[in-house]
């Protein structure tokens, strides 16, 4: 009778023990699944382009740190990224037609937000931005290079064309310049100077005459030398 009465007691203890183990395992699973989750969020609003397409809301998403988190826009073009811990996050807007400037948002341990420009060249230089975020489009994506248009200046500035046009201009302009008396006088003076310079001896010839070895004068043969010859 004592054994029969102790069996239900042991069964109750085993059931309570197993329930405790299951509750502890569920808590551990919740901790593992919720690792990295936090109570902070990033809020902001986008300014749509002037020519907004019908699929603007569905085509535009906001990502964090290259796509670790992704959210869609609300009807008023605002967004909220939830479940963040304290740290630094890079917020980017993804749209196939328009580009937006990426923004870095820092969240401290007290939950205070600081938004700043993402300066890759000088990371130490901080340019703060207002928070909640207000993002405007920088421009439209250009997937194809614009074809160059034909211009008249490209033809006129071509080297071969300039080599042909310059002699023609000289031939047409120089005679008209020679008709001017002042210009004609200046040209004559230049020609006279050039002729004087051409008449002057060269410097090398002057030095050769000044410092060159002089040949001794020839002596006349004597009477004895004449007889011998």
């Amino acid at each position: 009778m004592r054994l029969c009465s102790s069996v239900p007691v042991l069964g109750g203890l085993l059931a309570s023990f197993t329930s405790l183990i299951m509750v502890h395992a569920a808590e551990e699973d919740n901790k593992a699944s919720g690792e990295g989750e936090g109570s902070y969020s990033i809020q902001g609003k986008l300014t749509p382009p002037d020519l907004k397409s019908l699929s603007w809301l569905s085509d535009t998403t906001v990502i964090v740190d290259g796509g670790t988190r992704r959210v869609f826009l609300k009807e008023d073009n605002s967004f909220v990224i939830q479940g963040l811990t304290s740290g630094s996050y890079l917020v980017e807007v993804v749209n196939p037609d328009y580009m937006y400037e990426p923004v870095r948002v820092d969240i401290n341990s007290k939950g205070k937000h600081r938004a700043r420009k993402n300066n890759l060249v000088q990371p130490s230089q901080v340019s703060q931005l207002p928070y909640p975020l207000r993002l405007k489009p920088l421009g439209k994506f250009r997937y194809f290079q614009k074809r160059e248009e034909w211009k008249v200046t490209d033809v006129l500035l071509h080297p071969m064309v300039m080599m042909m046009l310059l002699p023609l201009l000289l031939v047409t302009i120089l005679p008209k310049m020679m008709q001017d008396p002042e210009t004609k006088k200046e040209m004559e003076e230049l020609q006279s100077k050039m002729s004087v310079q051409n008449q002057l001896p060269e410097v090398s010839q002057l030095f050769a005459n000044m410092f060159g070895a002089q040949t001794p004068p020839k002596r006349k043969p004597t009477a004895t030398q004449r007889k011998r010859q």
Side-chain angles (χ1 to χ4, degrees):
M1 296 293 291
R2 291 180 181 178
L3 291 173
C4 293
S5 61
S6 62
V7 170
V9 176
L10 292 173
L13 291 174
L14 288 173
S16 61
F17 185 70
T18 53
S19 62
L20 288 173
I21 292 174
M22 292 177 66
V23 169
H24 183 71
E27 289 179 356
E28 292 293 332
D29 292 339
N30 290 331
K31 287 181 181 179
S33 61
E35 187 177 0
E37 297 288 337
S39 58
Y40 303 126
S41 62
I42 296 176
Q43 300 178 5
K45 191 174 183 179
L46 298 187
T47 301
D50 297 333
L51 300 175
K52 184 173 66 173
S53 61
L54 298 175
S55 60
W56 164 257
L57 291 176
S58 61
D59 292 341
T60 307
T61 56
V62 181
I63 62 174
V64 177
D65 291 342
T68 55
R69 293 178 183 270
R70 184 184 298 268
V71 296
F72 288 92
L73 300 179
K74 299 180 181 179
E75 292 183 357
D76 59 348
N77 298 318
S78 63
F79 63 91
V80 179
I81 305 170
Q82 298 178 349
L84 301 176
T85 59
S86 59
S88 181
Y89 299 96
L90 181 63
V91 180
E92 298 175 279
V93 179
V94 179
N95 185 271
D97 297 325
Y98 293 91
M99 64 180 75
Y100 284 79
E101 183 180 6
V103 178
R104 185 164 289 280
V105 180
D106 302 325
I107 306 175
N108 60 10
S109 58
K110 296 181 180 180
K112 292 184 179 180
H113 295 71
R114 183 185 69 170
R116 55 190 175 94
K117 291 184 178 180
N118 186 36
N119 194 344
L120 298 176
V121 180
Q122 296 178 344
S124 60
Q125 185 177 359
V126 178
S127 300
Q128 292 192 8
L129 297 173
Y131 184 84
L133 302 176
R134 294 290 183 269
L135 304 178
K136 297 181 180 179
L138 298 177
K140 203 168 184 180
F141 282 113
R142 291 183 179 179
Y143 293 103
F144 302 99
Q145 188 176 3
K146 189 177 180 181
R147 179 177 290 181
E148 295 183 0
E149 298 179 356
W150 184 84
K151 297 179 182 179
V152 181
T153 54
D154 296 339
V155 179
L156 294 177
L157 297 177
H158 195 274
M160 298 299 294
V161 176
M162 293 179 69
M163 290 175 63
M164 293 173 61
L165 291 178
L166 283 175
L168 292 175
L169 291 174
L170 292 174
V171 169
T172 54
I173 292 173
L174 281 177
K176 294 181 179 180
M177 292 176 64
M178 292 300 294
Q179 293 178 1
D180 187 9
E182 294 181 359
T183 308
K184 189 175 182 180
K185 186 177 180 181
E186 290 178 359
M187 293 293 292
E188 290 177 353
E189 290 178 356
L190 286 173
Q191 289 180 359
S192 61
K193 288 180 181 179
M194 291 294 292
S195 61
V196 171
Q197 290 178 359
N198 291 331
Q199 291 176 2
L200 292 174
E202 293 183 358
V203 178
S204 59
Q205 196 173 20
L206 285 173
F207 279 103
N209 295 331
M210 290 173 63
F211 303 103
Q214 295 180 358
T215 56
K218 293 181 179 181
R219 294 181 180 180
K220 294 181 180 180
T222 57
T224 56
Q225 289 178 352
R226 289 177 183 173
K227 289 179 179 180
R228 290 177 181 176
Q229 293 176 357

